[in-house]
Amino acid sequence: MTQTVASIPLAVHESLKIQKRRIQNGSSKKRLSLVTGTHGDELEGQYLAYMVGSYIDEHIDRLDGIIDIYPALNHMGIDSITRGIPMFDLDMNRVFPGSRDGTMADVVCAAIVDDISGSDVCIDVHSSNIFLKEIPQIRMSVPTAPALLPYVKMMNVDFLWIHDAATLLESTLAHTLNSRGTKTLVVEMGVGMRITKEYCTQLFDGVLNLMKQLGMWKGETAPVREPVISEGREVGFVNSDAAGIFVPCANFGDIVKQGDHIGDVVDPLTSKDVENVFAVCDGMIFTLREYPVVYGGSLLARILQLAGGERI
């Protein structure tokens, strides 16, 4: 059943509608919300929403609870291939919790928060931008980690990044919902404006496993992997010193040692390597440059440092 979460009149007899799909079966009132499309250039979640919805449709008898799928919170952004809200140049994920008496963006965000609040768990799916590619990971702030960590281990992601930039995150959907008691997991995976089927399939298995652990799913589920957790470790940032075309020779998830060669910045005009890029620390590459054109200071990779004596 498709439901309208928010509806705002636009010019020329048009209207902006934020919609969700509710799938319900059985007697349980457990509710899982799957949210995506906060940024208009993040499309990985679109395919995941399709996968989850279509699979449950085919096996509806195994569902005991409620699944709410919000495929496009920033509907106009997706339609216009724009990361923010078109015309206003706003990052939607810096507007929450919104306001019922505010601007159009405020009203929409307030309605979304009201609708999702009360879910047992919310999964907020993001992609990276067009420049960087991320392995499937969940990000959270230090204060929310104790309550969310048990759910992260059900989600079949490779990595959990716990960071303390709480002030930056206070205007996000996840911070708003977590502060209101709705446990919300922020997933980052893949790259902007693309769909990585491998990652969507990995997270799909995690969603089903989470549903099973919540008592909402009676079907079989695939084994899930244990995520590497960043707590107590540093993240090494690899930035370019030169402008050119970045050509990596390392891959996501590779374990590298400090000084290992992970790529080159080349100059197509002179046919010279203008920079050889090396790992800044021992650890696992979990972010890698996807868009080849770089300038001085461009982020090329993130590396999670190993804990003392640890082997990943």
Side-chain angles (χ1 to χ4, degrees), residues 209-280:
N209 182 63
L210 174 64
M211 290 169 57
K212 192 174 185 70
Q213 300 302 321
L214 291 174
M216 301 173 60
W217 187 249
K218 295 181 285 187
E220 296 296 321
T221 57
V224 297
R225 61 191 72 188
E226 185 82 12
V228 175
I229 300 175
S230 70
E231 191 170 23
R233 312 181 194 192
E234 298 293 329
V235 172
F237 293 79
V238 182
N239 295 91
S240 174
D241 291 327
I245 302 298
F246 177 60
V247 183
C249 59
N251 292 311
F252 297 99
D254 280 359
I255 306 299
V256 295
K257 293 184 176 181
Q258 184 174 7
D260 280 355
H261 184 210
I262 62 173
D264 299 295
V265 179
V266 302
D267 183 347
L269 178 62
T270 62
S271 300
K272 303 290 186 184
D273 291 356
V274 293
E275 182 183 359
N276 302 125
V277 181
F278 302 99
V280 297

Side-chain angles (χ1 to χ4, degrees), residues 143-219:
T144 60
L148 299 182
L149 186 56
Y151 299 94
V152 173
K153 295 183 177 180
M154 303 173 190
M155 285 296 294
N156 202 33
V157 293
D158 294 298
F159 176 46
L160 167 61
W161 190 358
I162 303 173
H163 51 94
D164 56 5
T167 53
L168 179 65
L169 303 175
E170 285 180 354
S171 55
T172 64
L173 175 64
H175 179 86
T176 301
L177 291 172
N178 278 311
S179 65
R180 298 187 180 189
T182 298
K183 297 179 177 62
T184 302
L185 305 171
V186 177
V187 175
E188 291 271 356
M189 65 176 182
V191 64
M193 295 188 180
R194 296 288 185 275
I195 289 174
T196 312
K197 292 180 71 174
E198 174 190 354
Y199 291 170
C200 292
T201 301
Q202 180 179 336
L203 196 61
F204 167 81
D205 289 338
V207 172
L208 282 189
N209 182 63
L210 174 64
M211 290 169 57
K212 192 174 185 70
Q213 300 302 321
L214 291 174
M216 301 173 60
W217 187 249
K218 295 181 285 187

